[in-house]
Amino acid sequence: AENSWEGNVAAGSAGSGFWFELRLRVRGPSQRFAPADLNPMRGNLISFRDNVAHSNRDHGIRTYPFGWVPDEQAILFNSRSYRNYEAGVFIHNSRDISVQGGVFADNRRSIDLDRAEKAELRNIEIIGHSEEYKRIVQEENFGDTNGKRCPPHVKLMGIDMHTFTRKDYTAPWKDFGAQISNVNLSGFVDTGCETGRGAFALNFEEQVESKLFDYLLTMQNIQVENKANWFNFCSAEE
């Protein structure tokens, strides 16, 4: 991960746009040049700035499946991730990843925090379905939606979270979760998802590991458009 990505565009892939799949040891042809104790999963990011991910079959940006736990906070700065089939940003099994600035629109899940400890979302704009996307879907009648912006099995989500963490009990309790601030969420009204599973600005997933709710969440200055279903807590009630 100790590299720089600046001003790149990842579009139309059969998988994800930017995929951080890090292991405990270096793999492939580079392995013979790497120090034996080098752990890519703990590698620090030099720069990830002004990158664009759109129209990818899976996620725009993701850390999966083993995650990323850098020694220093990794900042994904001013990204734009839109019209990806799954999430705009999928942070999985990771720690100390910060998404700062940028726009995330027309994804099924704009940002997915799945066992993402000490995560940070700051100064970002999230749009569930933009007006342009609504128009295109209706006029072109494309994809598996048959002109409907949400198939019946799909839930449209701005920020999707889980109730549990990676269970890294060596970390302080205050790091078990996410800090979310200065986020504007729109495009969750008249989405076409109302007859399916719904549209929610913030959502907790159905998946649970225990009766404990140990994903600590701090939110400040969150703006959600009028009449939107802004917080779905029902999935985590059991």
Side-chain angles (χ1 to χ4, degrees):
E2 295 186 0
N3 288 291
S4 297
W5 289 266
E6 297 186 356
N8 298 286
V9 177
S13 78
S16 295
F18 299 91
W19 186 355
F20 293 88
E21 185 192 355
L22 304 171
R23 306 286 183 96
L24 297 176
R25 292 179 175 82
V26 177
R27 297 172 291 160
S30 300
Q31 186 178 34
R32 61 194 181 100
F33 301 108
D37 60 348
L38 180 62
N39 182 352
M41 193 180 293
R42 300 189 66 89
N44 295 320
L45 180 67
I46 297 175
S47 177
F48 191 96
R49 175 184 292 267
D50 300 330
N51 294 300
V52 178
H54 71 86
S55 311
N56 295 292
R57 178 59 180 80
D58 288 333
H59 309 281
I61 304 168
R62 75 170 174 177
T63 65
Y64 183 87
F66 306 103
W68 184 10
V69 286
D71 291 327
E72 301 175 2
Q73 184 184 61
I75 300 175
L76 311 181
F77 184 75
N78 198 33
S79 302
R80 287 183 291 153
S81 187
Y82 58 94
R83 297 185 190 175
N84 299 288
Y85 192 75
E86 295 293 347
V89 179
F90 179 30
I91 302 177
H92 173 78
N93 207 25
S94 299
R95 186 163 183 255
D96 217 0
I97 310 296
S98 177
V99 180
Q100 298 184 18
V103 179
F104 308 91
D106 303 326
N107 308 288
R108 291 189 175 184
R109 303 183 306 281
S110 280
I111 297 181
D112 188 344
L113 302 177
D114 180 3
R115 283 156 278 195
E117 297 173 4
K118 206 178 177 182
E120 182 182 44
L121 308 178
R122 182 151 54 94
N123 302 328
I124 62 176
E125 181 175 3
I126 291 175
I127 304 170
H129 281 168
S130 66
E131 293 302 318
E132 177 69 5
Y133 179 74
K134 293 178 185 179
R135 182 189 65 78
I136 292 173
V137 172
Q138 196 66 37
E139 290 182 359
E140 299 298 328
N141 197 33
F142 69 81
D144 62 359
T145 63
N146 295 318
K148 298 178 181 179
R149 295 190 295 274
C150 276
H153 64 283
V154 169
K155 184 192 297 182
L156 178 66
M157 293 166 280
I159 302 173
D160 189 30
M161 295 163 284
H162 290 67
T163 62
F164 53 92
T165 68
R166 293 173 53 246
K167 300 297 187 291
D168 179 8
Y169 292 118
T170 62
W173 272 103
K174 66 181 179 62
D175 293 343
F176 280 20
Q179 295 186 9
I180 303 174
S181 62
N182 302 327
V183 176
N184 184 65
L185 298 111
S186 62
F188 294 92
V189 175
D190 187 27
T191 61
C193 304
E194 288 79 7
T195 58
R197 300 192 65 201
F200 301 95
L202 297 127
N203 180 75
F204 273 97
E205 274 294 333
E206 294 93 339
Q207 182 185 6
V208 296
E209 283 195 345
S210 70
K211 296 295 183 180
L212 296 177
F213 190 115
D214 55 8
Y215 196 71
L216 307 182
L217 184 65
T218 301
M219 294 189 293
Q220 181 179 4
N221 193 26
I222 310 299
Q223 298 185 32
V224 182
E225 66 183 327
N226 291 333
K227 300 181 181 180
N229 293 321
W230 89 278
F231 206 142
N232 178 31
F233 213 15
C234 298
S235 301
E237 64 181 346
E238 298 181 0

